[in-house]
Amino acid sequence: MAIQFFHNDETIRGDAMIILSLGKNLLLKGPTGAGKTRLAEDMSRELDQPIHSINCSVDVDIESLLGFKTIEYMEGRQEITFIDGPVIRAMKEGAILYIDEINMARPEVLPILNAALDYRRTITNPLTGDVITAEQGFRVIAAINVGYVGTMPMNEALLNRFNVIELGYVSKEALAEILKTQSIQKDESIIDEIAQFHSDLVTMTEQGQISQEASSVRSLIDLADLSTKMPISRACYRAIIDKLDSEQEKKAILNATELQFGMG
Ligand SMILES: Nc1ncnc2c1ncn2[C@@H]1O[C@H](COP(=O)(O)OP(=O)(O)OP(=O)(O)O)[C@@H](O)[C@H]1O
Ligand SMILES: [Mg+2]
């Protein structure tokens, strides 16, 4: 598949590549639907290295990171073996480890990764006593949604091990470009209208009228796709407005929708 992540701020892609090529850890910061996972997948393709992912939540524990013991039957005998988890697999294979929503994990769980994330590139597996040293090519990309409910501030020592790239809003032109490649909507005038609508949403976000999620690229791709099969005003409800809880936000977006598309 071709490169997918696209941003008017070209330093994002370029710097992500520089950071990873130098063997350093990369932290992508940005609201939901801003392209963090897409950028990580592009990097994996460009570096020709597979990705092993962890999705963090309060339930993430040492086992979901490192692996677990299990009993296997070998020629009638029981044997305890260890099934490697994503961290150890990525280290042994020299692959990319993608830690999604790293600030959702309980703060006491992640320090186990500290030695793997610094110059030592090792981990001592407390479940087996093994010391694993990462193969050449092992890299870590983590993603955080800032200000998201349930997130915790990242532990300083952990944060200190990353180089940070913030994914800001894409410009109107960049959004149009993204829609052209990723949406089934091929009508350029509708794409341009959606791109204009996106800049209005961004302005409203910057003024604090609506939350960042409302203007995510993901929702706008949905809007463009749905608009090929239903009136765009209804598509706005499905893709954007009805995802929100706040009546005030809904109303603000409805106004913007009416201004941009009319209410057919
Ligand atoms: N800058 C971008 N360039 C190209 N595609 C983008 C961009 N931003 C978002 N997208 C598209 O929007 C959708 C959501 O992107 P992605 O899954 O990467 O977001 P995310 O930041 O990882 O969100 P979350 O925090 O919810 O996981 C995908 O279909 C992706 O292709
Ligand atoms: Mg993601």
Side-chain angles (χ1 to χ4, degrees), residues 32-33 35-38 55 98 100-101 143 145 218:
T32 184
K36 301 181 292 296
T37 303
R38 197 57 108 172
N55 248 301
Y98 182 65
D100 208 358
E101 308 205 36
N145 287 353
R218 180 186 287 130

Side-chain angles (χ1 to χ4, degrees), residues 18-232:
I18 290 170
I19 289 165
L20 295 172
S21 304
L22 291 172
K24 294 181 187 296
N25 310 314
L26 172 63
L27 177 68
L28 301 175
K29 261 189 176 179
T32 184
K36 301 181 292 296
T37 303
R38 197 57 108 172
L39 179 59
E41 287 190 339
D42 276 7
M43 293 293 121
S44 144
R45 219 169 303 119
E46 264 183 66
L47 291 163
D48 199 18
Q49 284 177 290
I51 286 198
H52 295 291
S53 300
I54 311 166
N55 248 301
C56 291
S57 70
V58 286
D59 296 330
V60 162
D61 56 12
I62 302 284
E63 289 198 333
S64 43
L65 298 175
L66 304 186
F68 55 90
K69 282 182 179 164
T70 183
I71 297 174
E72 280 190 355
Y73 294 90
M74 310 256 274
E75 296 161 5
R77 283 183 304 117
Q78 286 188 5
E79 276 201 17
I80 295 180
T81 53
F82 189 80
I83 310 288
D84 290 340
V87 174
I88 293 185
R89 284 213 305 277
M91 290 177 80
K92 285 183 177 170
E93 292 171 20
I96 295 175
L97 176 67
Y98 182 65
I99 312 178
D100 208 358
E101 308 205 36
I102 192 167
N103 54 340
M104 294 284 273
R106 279 177 292 123
E108 64 269 26
V109 176
L110 295 174
I112 184 91
L113 300 180
N114 282 357
L117 291 170
D118 64 29
Y119 66 92
R120 293 169 282 178
R121 294 289 188 206
T122 58
I123 204 162
T124 306
N125 184 346
L127 306 168
T128 58
D130 291 346
V131 177
I132 296 107
T133 302
E135 287 300 318
Q136 190 77 18
F138 170 65
R139 290 176 168 84
V140 180
I141 305 178
I144 65 177
N145 287 353
V146 239
Y148 193 62
V149 188
T151 58
M152 293 163 237
M154 254 171 98
N155 168 299
E156 280 301 326
L158 184 62
L159 183 58
N160 196 250
R161 286 167 164 75
F162 285 93
N163 296 275
V164 183
I165 295 184
E166 285 209 37
L167 303 191
Y169 298 109
V170 292
S171 67
K172 185 170 141 187
E173 293 72 26
L175 183 79
E177 215 43 59
I178 293 168
L179 294 180
K180 278 176 203 161
T181 51
Q182 291 185 50
S183 169
I184 55 172
Q185 177 58 269
K186 298 298 171 209
D187 183 327
E188 295 216 359
S189 65
I190 297 183
I191 288 182
D192 288 344
E193 281 185 56
I194 295 178
Q196 179 57 50
F197 179 56
H198 160 75
S199 357
D200 296 345
L201 293 180
V202 169
T203 309
M204 288 161 69
T205 306
E206 285 168 350
Q207 291 169 349
Q209 292 185 51
I210 57 172
S211 54
Q212 273 184 315
E213 293 75 38
S215 53
S216 82
V217 174
R218 180 186 287 130
S219 297
L220 290 151
I221 294 174
D222 286 341
L223 172 63
D225 287 346
L226 295 188
S227 72
T228 63
K229 308 280 181 198
M230 63 178 82
I232 196 154

